[in-house]
Amino acid sequence: MNTYNPDNQRLFFDDLINCRELGGMPLTGGKVFKSGIALRSGSPSLASSKAHELLKQYGVKTVIDLRSAAEVKNYGNPFEKDEETKYVNIPLFVGDPDLKEDPTMVFLETHPMGDFYIMVLQELGKEIVEVMRVIAENNDGLILFHCAHGKDRTGIIAALLYLLAGATRENIVLNYKVSYEYAKSFLDPLIEARVENMRHTLRSDASNMEIFLDYIRDKYDMDASKYLIENGMLREEIERLKERIIN
């Protein structure tokens, strides 16, 4: 029987969008994804001004911002100038998602979000490896990685980490699809304001992660390490990352 419940990983319900501990995910061989290594969330500049301090009190000392340069410029990040925290911006979006004419946003008018996730894999492999290296090499406190709503770019990194560690496809999809539910109060007004053919970009339909995982199955035999090696990560770096995240 599957006993995984993503609700048990939730944190800071009212002060941070879709914030979760990665730890607690069951893995093959009776192992589990380690707690106290990484958190995922929406941007700490949204929802509540308390998010910054709450995360620091919780033990976050490294922040990986997956938003584009335009997003960081437009919305800021309270960790960017925090001298007590290591802040790195590794964009998994090229351009500005707030612009209707942005090529990626135009693409999404006729494509599911899962196709965007594949685009990120294909075009931003070096950036994904850079994110993985930061996680592998961190020895000081918790890491937080986030995008805007903690759903898409954050979901890609979480899925790859879980694949690498040995989580099941079923649980990776479950972990992904609850994002909309966890951010519903924030996202629903945005969905209502969007034109019909773009509302899907603010949901986390299970089919999006299925598309993503099908691609990794077909191209990499469901082995995330093959993808990371193809994009420049060394095998010893991958083993070090696995040691950090598998308990």
Side-chain angles (χ1 to χ4, degrees), residues 38-192:
L39 308 181
R40 57 174 292 178
S41 78
S43 172
S45 63
L46 300 176
S48 167
S49 59
K50 297 178 182 179
H52 176 219
E53 285 304 320
L54 286 171
L55 287 165
K56 287 182 67 174
Q57 291 169 15
Y58 197 74
V60 169
K61 293 192 175 181
T62 299
V63 173
I64 306 172
D65 190 336
L66 304 173
R67 296 174 300 163
S68 68
E71 290 172 275
V72 176
K73 180 181 178 181
N74 292 340
Y75 298 102
N77 192 312
F79 286 100
E80 192 173 5
K81 296 180 181 180
D82 187 331
E83 295 182 355
E84 297 178 342
T85 308
K86 178 182 178 181
Y87 170 85
V88 290
N89 179 212
I90 306 174
L92 295 188
F93 191 103
V94 178
D96 187 347
D98 286 339
L99 296 179
K100 182 180 177 182
E101 64 272 20
D102 183 277
T104 301
M105 302 311 290
V106 173
F107 173 84
L108 287 171
E109 290 178 6
T110 54
H111 289 77
M113 289 304 295
D115 287 352
F116 166 68
Y117 304 162
I118 293 172
M119 181 191 300
V120 172
L121 283 180
Q122 293 174 335
E123 298 182 4
L124 298 172
K126 291 182 180 178
E127 286 78 3
I128 288 173
V129 165
E130 188 178 352
V131 172
M132 296 300 176
R133 282 180 172 145
V134 173
I135 297 171
E137 295 167 5
N138 180 67
N139 290 306
D140 184 21
L142 276 162
I143 289 177
L144 168 73
F145 61 91
H146 74 85
C147 52
H149 306 132
K151 177 175 70 68
D152 302 308
R153 293 160 285 187
T154 297
I156 290 170
I157 296 300
L160 287 172
L161 285 168
Y162 282 146
L163 269 178
L164 192 67
T168 66
R169 178 184 179 118
E170 175 189 10
N171 285 343
I172 292 171
V173 172
L174 176 57
N175 179 268
Y176 165 80
K177 74 177 185 179
V178 296
S179 280
Y180 167 68
E181 178 187 334
Y182 293 167
K184 182 177 172 63
S185 61
F186 184 87
L187 292 176
D188 275 353
L190 301 180
I191 291 173
E192 188 65 29

